[in-house]
Amino acid sequence: MNTEELFGMKNPWEHVAKMYESLEEDCLFSSSKSYVCEGDEQAIDVYNEKVDKAIEGKDEETKLRILRDKIITNIPAEPWWGNPLEARLIILSLNPGYVPEVNMTLAKLMQSKEVVRKQVIEYKRKTLLFQVHSLMPEKKDNIEGSPITCKDAINMLGDWYWYKKLEQLRKDVYIENASIDETKFFRKIALVELHGYSSQTSNRTFPRIDNTLESQQFTKEMIWYLAKDKKKDVRFLIMRSTKKWINLLSEEFFVKFKDKIIEKKTDSMISQYITPANFNGNEYRNIIDFINNS
């Protein structure tokens, strides 16, 4: 069943998935491609042009600081990790980060090894098409002959960010329910970003609070569909940018599905570690119980 049959919108990331070509030796850090949904291109171009204009006449230190806001489009986009249509705990975050030493330097090294390049880009392609079943790659995603697993490769390119952020929760779940090993744990979880494009900083002005990218409309419809799904219960764990998520999903969503929403406490700043310290009252306890019983 395709996404149009599920919630009335064609997946705009299918266009990007077609550009993920393992035969191209620079598919992880491209010298020629922009991995952008067709309907998002103009908004991203306009925004990046404003950033480029803002550095005119500035000293080198200021230029570097301003350029950290730029949207990076020549690395694979990541509107989600895992499969939101199958997961039970949906983490809502802001957008993928960009670390030059990882997403440029390491990516170039990885793509120089054909079997590793094929393993990584194929997994990222399947992710965009909802063809994976876990937040993290599994054994079946490995390609024979690769010196590292697909899981390790994907986490390396992600700077081990979400693996580390979920480590405490994974251990606490396992302590109470040893039947939920790492494989089963990650199958219950997916990550959805407010937008799928990378940047070094959080880009508070992109997209504008009164506007959205075309691809975000798809995200909105998908999350509404998941919240209304009568076949399974889900929880939305908001780790960043609640106001932006309200703007995208609407205040009605937050009222109608308040029992399905868990928010990180506001005084924990930007930390996205899923630990007791980042949640009020019994919320962390509720997350563990939900995973154990889902």
Side-chain angles (χ1 to χ4, degrees):
M1 183 176 291
N2 60 37
T3 56
E4 287 179 283
E5 293 172 313
L6 286 175
F7 45 88
M9 287 192 72
K10 181 179 179 179
N11 181 1
W13 296 101
E14 289 181 11
H15 163 75
V16 177
K18 290 177 182 177
M19 298 195 302
Y20 289 2
E21 178 51 68
S22 64
L23 295 178
E24 295 179 354
E25 296 181 358
D26 65 347
C27 59
L28 300 181
F29 186 87
S30 179
S31 58
S32 60
K33 284 186 175 181
S34 289
Y35 297 122
V36 178
C37 290
E38 290 179 300
D40 295 345
E41 290 175 352
Q42 183 178 2
I44 291 176
D45 287 345
V46 168
Y47 175 81
N48 278 342
E49 285 171 7
K50 288 181 179 179
V51 174
D52 288 336
K53 189 173 182 179
I55 68 174
E56 294 177 4
K58 301 294 192 301
D59 61 76
E60 287 304 311
E61 184 177 347
T62 303
K63 285 182 180 179
L64 290 174
R65 178 179 55 78
I66 294 173
L67 286 173
R68 288 172 60 84
D69 286 340
K70 200 162 187 177
I71 299 298
I72 309 297
T73 62
N74 65 329
I75 65 174
E78 294 182 334
W80 50 79
W81 275 42
N83 189 334
L85 301 182
E86 296 181 0
R88 304 299 295 275
L89 180 67
I90 314 293
I91 301 170
L92 303 182
S93 189
L94 186 52
N95 74 296
Y98 177 79
V99 180
E101 295 83 357
V102 174
N103 303 108
M104 179 176 66
T105 306
L106 179 59
K108 287 181 177 180
L109 178 62
M110 279 191 178
Q111 67 190 16
S112 70
K113 182 73 171 176
E114 182 179 2
V115 66
V116 177
R117 179 180 73 241
K118 182 177 180 181
Q119 185 172 248
V120 171
I121 201 65
E122 175 63 12
Y123 182 80
K124 288 184 177 291
R125 184 191 69 81
K126 291 192 297 184
T127 297
L128 292 186
L129 300 177
F130 299 107
Q131 293 174 358
V132 302
H133 306 287
S134 172
L135 184 75
M136 299 291 168
E138 301 182 309
K139 287 183 179 180
K140 61 183 175 55
D141 298 307
N142 298 336
I143 293 181
E144 185 176 353
S146 175
I148 57 175
T149 66
C150 186
K151 178 181 176 182
D152 283 347
I154 290 294
N155 277 304
M156 286 178 188
L157 282 180
D159 205 19
W160 292 92
Y161 186 87
W162 283 106
Y163 191 86
K164 292 177 180 178
K165 298 297 180 281
L166 285 158
E167 187 172 15
Q168 176 79 56
L169 179 63
R170 179 171 55 82
K171 290 179 178 178
D172 289 341
V173 166
Y174 183 77
I175 287 172
E176 295 191 13
N177 188 347
S179 69
I180 301 180
D181 59 12
E182 185 169 294
T183 298
K184 291 180 180 178
F185 176 80
F186 285 126
R187 284 181 180 176
K188 294 173 179 283
I189 299 173
L191 164 74
V192 176
E193 304 279 15
L194 189 71
H195 71 79
Y197 305 106
S198 297
S199 61
Q200 286 184 271
T201 56
S202 59
N203 290 287
R204 295 176 181 174
T205 61
F206 177 83
R208 298 195 321 268
I209 196 69
D210 59 344
N211 198 10
T212 57
L213 300 172
E214 187 171 305
S215 62
Q216 287 181 299
Q217 293 300 320
F218 178 81
T219 299
K220 175 181 179 178
E221 293 299 321
M222 176 176 68
I223 292 176
W224 267 89
Y225 166 80
L226 294 171
K228 293 187 294 184
D229 190 357
K230 302 296 185 183
K231 297 179 182 179
K232 66 175 182 179
D233 195 14
V234 297
R235 293 292 182 274
F236 300 100
L237 181 56
I238 302 181
M239 299 302 294
R240 275 189 183 170
S241 304
T242 299
K243 290 182 180 179
K244 286 193 173 185
W245 279 108
I246 292 173
N247 182 66
L248 178 64
L249 299 173
S250 79
E251 292 185 2
E252 178 191 358
F253 180 92
F254 278 73
V255 172
K256 187 172 184 177
F257 302 112
K258 63 180 180 180
D259 293 337
K260 296 177 181 285
I261 297 170
I262 302 172
E263 293 184 55
K264 184 191 68 175
K265 67 182 182 182
T266 56
D267 61 357
S268 56
M269 300 180 67
I270 64 173
S271 171
Q272 296 199 95
Y273 281 96
I274 303 178
T275 64
N278 268 343
F279 295 90
N280 291 314
N282 293 322
E283 288 177 339
Y284 184 75
R285 173 75 258 165
N286 293 338
I287 295 171
I288 292 176
D289 290 343
F290 181 73
I291 291 175
N292 279 333
N293 297 320
S294 63

